[in-house]
Amino acid sequence: MNKLSSLLLLFILLIKGYKVTAQVKPGGAAFTQTIKGTVVEKSSKLTMPGVTMKVVSVQPERAGITDANGVFHITQVPIGRQVVEISYAGYNKVVLSDVLVTSGKEIELNAEMETANTQLNEVVVSATSNKRPINSMAMASGRSFSPEETNRYAGALFDPARMAQGFAGVVAGGDNNEIIVRGNSPKSLQWRLEGIEIISPNHFNNEGSAGGGVSMLNSTVIGTSDFYTGALAAEYNNATAGVFDLRFRKGNTDKREYTFTAGVLGLGATMEGPFARGGNASYLVSYRYSTLGLLKAVGVDVSDSGVPQYQDLSFNLVFPTRSMGTFSVFGVGGAGNVNTDAKRDTTKWDERMDSYDLRYNYKAGSVGLKNIYIANNKLNFSNIISFSGSRNASKVDSLTSKFEPSLLQKNHYDNTAIRYAGIVNYRSGENNNIRAGLNAGFLTYNLYDLEYQRDTHDLKELLNQKGSAATFDGFIQNKHDFGNKLSLNTGIHVNYFDLSKTWSYEPRAGLNWHVTPDQEISLAAGAYSRLEPLSFYFAKSAESNDAVSTKLSPTQSAQLVLGYEKLFSGHLKFKTEAYYQHLYDVPVSSDPANNFSVLNVSDNSAISGTDYHSLVNKGTGKNYGIEFSVERSLNKGYYFMITSSVFNSKYKALNGQEFNTTFNTQYVTNLVAGKEWATGPNHKNLFGLNGKLIYAGGRKYTPILVDETFRRDEQVIDQSKTNTLTADPYIRVDFSASYRINSKKVSHFLLLDIQNLLNRRNNTGLFYNQSKRIIEKNKWIGILPTINYRIEI
């Protein structure tokens, strides 16, 4: 019996077992839960007393009213999917149509309400249908997502990045959670948490990349957050492509709750509750440890080629005060390693790597202190200071026939950042909002890379640099609503990078025109900049010992987006966006015969190539395309999303020639869909089926000069034909089945998630396998089945 069959059988047996143990007597009372939360005014962030909350999907309706602190409690809400309406005179009504109420945890809803310009023209805002960004300054290319979606989407594995692979303008980057946004390199993706940039929160990532094999983020701590594909508001810094603007939720302030998870990828526990009974301060802490690492620790042999081991911690501690606003301490971090020892038997060595001892270690984390102070109904402040750090290290030894080690590679990349972000938000009129702020980042680095060079048969130091750098940003933006139909956001962002002593002036503007209450046209334009991985600034050419590229300035991008959106009845939305991005001041090789560009790579691995040269800011690039999406939010038990993008991604090297980027797959179509059924006594349980289809064009790659490659024993490409070949199309089908059992005070959740159900070995073209000394297809992994069990108490 194969692994997939075993997991399917286990899943079915678990469901049957729970159906037996979860029985209640016929005619027994239906289980209920409490829905609670806080309602604030979107611009001022002031709490709103007297807001009416109704659960309209049950009869009789359950209702509540916010108190003087904007807090509400609705008790005895039946288990299942419910519809919640939030209303207040003079404000747009908010409707939440797919609220999942379970028996194990109280449900917390934190809502923001916007003023209706006239009471006669109040409209209904379906928060679960239009999925507008939480950030009110966002005009285009953004959407919000809920943590429940990361649990529900097939192939998501509780990971926001894998969930986003189905969004418009996004292409899966491969087996890990890297994503390609509008043709940009995956390393251009920025991660933010609680309003400030953080180091990539992923295990097992390569230096300079934005993704990894396993996310450090546990979906049990994430709140509703934003994802952007471009056209950012003026407050966003160091970003030219996609941005995950994540928020942690607040722990329960009324009672202590616990969530325990066990699965193929890890074991985890989440704890939350008040620090003291009757108080408003709360904690939310989540810890995970890899299942495979645990099995190895107790002596179970689960792999011949190294066992990925990792652990991570996420937390959010919230402390409201009477006179100084609300303080919070938040963070996410983790550590992981993969160690492989060569077999001490030369008869089992079929290729070079069989004789290697490999050590790989990665750890990263970010922690922050945040204060939100509301001065009055017009003025509020936010101040955040954070520390981020990462260490990426590896060592490779080649064993002789007598098992004596010979060093092939040794490196470490240590990066730290102390960051500050301060924002003042001033509501200068009923229809006008001004936001301004300052950002500062103080970076330190210790970069070292020693590698064996086959052409000279010795070790060469490619990188050895310690130092510090700083970056400073300031911005101001103004959003004005002209009546009920038109909103205009104008602003400017300014950046200074002290390593290159360069300034960047970035004007930005966005316009929303509500042609009708259910139709909108958007237009956004702006300039943006982003630092490249610092290793590019200091890496040495294989042909020279001189440090290079230290004067590199950030990569620049000018963007224009035009969009149209139409809301239909039945929670259906159509959206299309056309965009153009012009990238300039792009670091490219200083050798005109070499077509290297940072737009064409997803990490810093290029510095180890013998053809790597110093970089200069003389390259350009462009991404342009059009996206379409039709999305039906979950309602009446089913949902779907169909997205399609047609695009081009090009770059120019120093010689002025234009080439495809390797990420120019030119088209992608994604289909995400799911159905759930209420089952069991009193229909208190939920059974769900979900699927995802990704169909994208193949990656671009360059022909290999075969004779020269075998002579030099390293891959040598034909620079004159850079990225002229196309790999096979990328096709992947993901599937998941879930079953939720609601007992009286406990909720159980079972999830079978199968990534790449058809076991298709997608590839990115041909490459020279130095270990086997052959040229072959660069294939990604096949089917990846996982099973997870979660209990909420």
Side-chain angles (χ1 to χ4, degrees):
M1 183 179 293
N2 60 35
K3 293 181 179 179
L4 177 57
S5 299
S6 300
L7 283 173
L8 284 169
L9 179 59
L10 176 61
F11 183 75
I12 293 169
L13 290 174
L14 286 170
I15 289 177
K16 287 182 175 291
Y18 276 117
K19 282 184 177 180
V20 171
T21 59
Q23 291 290 329
V24 297
K25 294 180 179 180
F31 298 143
T32 63
Q33 186 57 275
T34 297
I35 297 180
K36 62 180 187 177
T38 305
V39 180
V40 301
E41 202 279 330
K42 191 162 189 174
S43 297
S44 67
K45 304 302 179 184
L46 283 171
T47 56
M48 296 179 61
V51 176
T52 299
M53 316 289 297
K54 290 183 179 180
V55 181
V56 298
S57 51
V58 298
Q59 294 296 328
E61 294 180 351
R62 303 296 301 167
I65 298 177
T66 57
D67 62 16
N69 297 314
V71 176
F72 69 92
H73 289 78
I74 308 176
T75 60
Q76 296 183 341
V77 178
I79 299 303
R81 295 282 181 184
Q82 305 296 354
V83 179
V84 179
E85 287 187 358
I86 308 170
S87 59
Y88 189 75
Y91 286 78
N92 296 328
K93 181 187 292 185
V94 176
V95 177
L96 305 172
S97 63
D98 63 349
V99 178
L100 178 60
V101 182
T102 66
S103 58
K105 291 175 62 65
E106 292 185 340
I107 311 305
E108 181 156 348
L109 301 177
N110 295 308
E112 296 182 343
M113 302 194 74
E114 288 185 291
T115 305
N117 290 313
T118 67
Q119 292 190 20
L120 295 177
N121 288 304
E122 292 178 359
V123 298
V124 175
V125 178
S126 180
T128 48
S129 295
N130 60 34
K131 290 183 168 51
R132 294 290 174 82
I134 300 171
N135 190 335
S136 60
M137 292 291 183
M139 298 284 104
S141 299
R143 61 167 290 159
S144 64
F145 65 92
S146 69
E148 202 262 327
E149 289 175 283
T150 67
N151 299 341
R152 188 192 333 136
Y153 282 18
L157 302 179
F158 308 116
D159 181 351
R162 293 182 189 272
M163 175 204 64
Q165 291 176 353
F167 291 168
V170 176
V171 181
D175 294 328
N176 59 18
N177 67 0
E178 282 189 334
I179 56 176
I180 300 162
V181 180
R182 290 182 171 174
N184 290 279
S185 165
K187 68 179 172 56
S188 300
L189 179 75
Q190 187 198 75
W191 292 92
R192 292 165 65 92
L193 179 60
E194 291 294 323
I196 199 164
E197 182 179 1
I198 62 172
I199 283 177
S200 172
N202 296 288
H203 295 286
F204 311 118
N205 65 358
N206 296 325
E207 176 64 19
S209 67
V214 180
S215 174
M216 294 179 186
L217 293 161
N218 193 333
S219 63
T220 60
V221 301
I222 299 175
T224 301
S225 304
D226 286 345
F227 174 70
Y228 299 94
T229 53
L232 301 165
E235 64 199 79
Y236 290 92
N237 66 319
N238 197 30
T240 54
V243 174
F244 273 106
D245 195 356
L246 301 173
R247 296 186 183 188
F248 277 167
R249 65 181 182 86
K250 185 175 68 172
N252 195 326
T253 56
D254 294 325
K255 70 176 211 177
R256 291 180 173 86
E257 296 178 330
Y258 306 91
T259 301
F260 301 98
T261 303
V264 172
L265 296 180
L267 302 175
T270 302
M271 301 172 289
E272 61 181 293
F275 280 102
R277 291 187 179 277
N280 292 321
S282 67
Y283 64 86
L284 174 64
V285 181
S286 178
Y287 172 77
R288 296 188 307 178
Y289 190 89
S290 65
T291 308
L292 297 179
L294 189 62
L295 291 173
K296 180 181 179 181
V298 297
V300 179
D301 187 11
V302 295
S303 174
D304 293 331
S305 58
V307 177
Q309 301 180 74
Y310 65 87
Q311 55 186 319
D312 50 58
L313 177 72
S314 302
F315 60 90
N316 189 27
L317 315 178
V318 181
F319 306 93
T321 67
R322 291 181 179 274
S323 59
M324 299 178 63
T326 298
F327 290 87
S328 61
V329 181
F330 61 90
V332 58
N337 65 78
V338 181
N339 298 326
T340 302
D341 291 324
K343 286 184 171 62
R344 267 48 180 179
D345 183 351
T346 58
T347 63
K348 297 181 179 180
W349 293 357
D350 297 324
E351 56 179 284
R352 282 178 181 169
M353 285 193 66
D354 293 336
S355 66
Y356 291 175
D357 284 346
L358 298 95
R359 299 290 182 270
Y360 171 78
N361 295 274
Y362 179 76
K363 55 185 177 182
S366 300
V367 61
L369 172 65
K370 181 178 182 178
N371 174 254
I372 298 177
Y373 178 74
I374 301 173
N376 51 50
N377 63 354
K378 292 183 178 294
L379 186 65
N380 63 73
F381 301 89
S382 171
N383 287 280
I384 312 169
I385 186 168
S386 73
F387 172 83
S388 293
S390 68
R391 178 177 176 83
N392 196 325
S394 65
K395 181 183 178 183
V396 181
D397 287 318
S398 177
L399 302 183
T400 66
S401 58
K402 296 181 179 181
F403 310 120
E404 298 169 337
S406 176
L407 185 64
L408 286 182
Q409 178 187 359
K410 183 179 182 179
N411 62 43
H412 64 78
Y413 296 89
D414 299 329
N415 293 282
T416 65
I418 297 175
R419 292 189 172 93
Y420 166 77
I423 292 179
V424 56
N425 199 85
Y426 179 62
R427 190 175 182 181
S428 58
E430 189 68 24
N431 302 320
N432 202 77
N433 202 59
I434 300 172
R435 188 176 296 174
L438 296 172
N439 297 276
F442 302 95
L443 317 176
T444 62
Y445 48 86
N446 182 357
L447 313 174
Y448 179 79
D449 197 328
L450 181 71
E451 300 203 18
Y452 180 78
Q453 301 294 305
R454 297 194 180 278
D455 55 341
T456 58
H457 304 290
D458 63 357
L459 292 167
K460 182 175 180 59
E461 193 175 82
L462 302 179
L463 188 59
N464 188 0
Q465 195 76 26
K466 297 181 182 179
S468 61
T471 178
F472 302 94
D473 298 87
F475 74 89
I476 186 169
Q477 58 187 335
N478 180 82
K479 181 184 177 185
H480 187 81
D481 296 323
F482 298 89
N484 293 325
K485 291 183 175 292
L486 201 63
S487 296
L488 176 65
N489 181 8
T490 56
I492 187 169
H493 188 106
V494 180
N495 169 264
Y496 175 74
F497 181 47
D498 78 330
L499 202 61
S500 58
K501 306 276 191 275
T502 53
W503 289 87
S504 176
Y505 301 92
E506 304 166 9
R508 302 178 191 178
L511 179 71
N512 284 161
W513 176 29
H514 293 272
V515 183
T516 63
D518 58 0
Q519 293 186 83
E520 178 183 288
I521 293 175
S522 58
L523 178 66
Y528 310 86
S529 61
R530 180 166 175 83
L531 298 178
E532 298 298 336
L534 289 179
S535 50
F536 281 128
Y537 290 67
F538 304 110
K540 300 174 184 179
S541 168
E543 298 176 358
S544 170
N545 287 320
D546 298 329
V548 299
S549 311
T550 55
K551 298 300 182 182
L552 285 178
S553 62
T555 299
Q556 307 288 318
S557 177
Q559 302 180 11
L560 176 66
V561 178
L562 175 64
Y564 170 77
E565 183 177 304
K566 166 70 175 176
L567 295 176
F568 298 91
S569 60
H571 300 266
L572 189 66
K573 180 181 74 172
F574 168 79
K575 185 175 181 179
T576 181
E577 285 192 336
Y579 63 90
Y580 185 88
Q581 300 177 351
H582 171 64
L583 295 102
Y584 55 102
D585 289 349
V586 176
V588 295
S589 176
S590 59
D591 179 7
N594 189 297
N595 296 324
F596 175 83
S597 169
V598 296
L599 301 182
N600 199 43
V601 293
S602 57
D603 53 42
N604 81 326
S605 56
I607 66 172
S608 61
T610 56
D611 57 352
Y612 182 81
H613 292 271
S614 62
L615 306 181
V616 292
N617 287 108
K618 294 185 178 180
T620 61
K622 62 183 179 184
N623 303 309
Y624 58 92
I626 187 168
E627 304 160 357
F628 303 92
S629 65
V630 178
E631 181 173 3
R632 186 188 193 276
S633 298
L634 179 63
N635 187 48
K636 296 183 179 179
Y638 74 98
Y639 71 95
F640 64 82
M641 177 170 59
I642 305 171
T643 65
S644 185
S645 304
V646 181
F647 64 96
N648 250 314
S649 177
K650 306 279 189 176
Y651 78 93
K652 286 185 179 180
L654 186 65
N655 58 20
Q657 287 184 269
E658 186 174 72
F659 303 96
N660 292 305
T661 70
T662 188
F663 313 109
N664 190 19
T665 62
Q666 297 188 316
Y667 63 88
V668 59
T669 296
N670 302 306
L671 169 62
V672 178
K675 179 74 172 73
E676 65 181 26
W677 295 265
T679 67
N682 298 313
H683 299 285
K684 62 182 180 59
N685 301 333
L686 283 176
F687 174 68
L689 296 175
N690 303 276
K692 179 168 66 179
L693 167 66
I694 302 174
Y695 187 92
R699 291 277 194 96
K700 303 299 182 185
Y701 68 103
T702 304
I704 296 173
L705 297 175
V706 178
D707 293 340
E708 187 69 6
T709 291
F710 283 108
R711 185 185 70 80
R712 293 170 55 176
D713 196 20
E714 70 169 345
Q715 182 165 301
V716 181
I717 60 173
D718 186 347
Q719 293 283 343
S720 67
K721 298 179 180 178
T722 298
N723 291 339
T724 54
L725 301 179
T726 303
D728 299 329
Y730 182 92
I731 303 173
R732 198 180 85 206
V733 175
D734 300 336
F735 167 81
S736 72
S738 64
Y739 194 68
R740 182 178 292 275
I741 301 100
N742 288 296
S743 301
K744 187 173 182 180
K745 293 184 179 180
V746 178
S747 177
H748 308 269
F749 181 65
L750 282 166
L751 176 67
L752 172 66
D753 199 320
I754 305 173
Q755 186 171 290
N756 200 358
L757 180 66
L758 302 181
N759 198 27
R760 178 183 169 88
R761 299 293 302 275
N762 291 289
N763 70 86
T764 57
L766 299 177
F767 82 111
Y768 175 60
N769 187 326
Q770 201 172 64
S771 177
K772 296 180 180 179
R773 300 183 182 89
I774 61 173
I775 294 174
E776 62 179 353
K777 284 189 175 182
N778 188 15
K779 293 183 179 181
W780 286 321
I781 64 172
I783 190 170
L784 178 62
T786 62
I787 190 167
N788 297 274
Y789 165 67
R790 178 175 292 177
I791 180 172
E792 298 172 344
I793 305 174

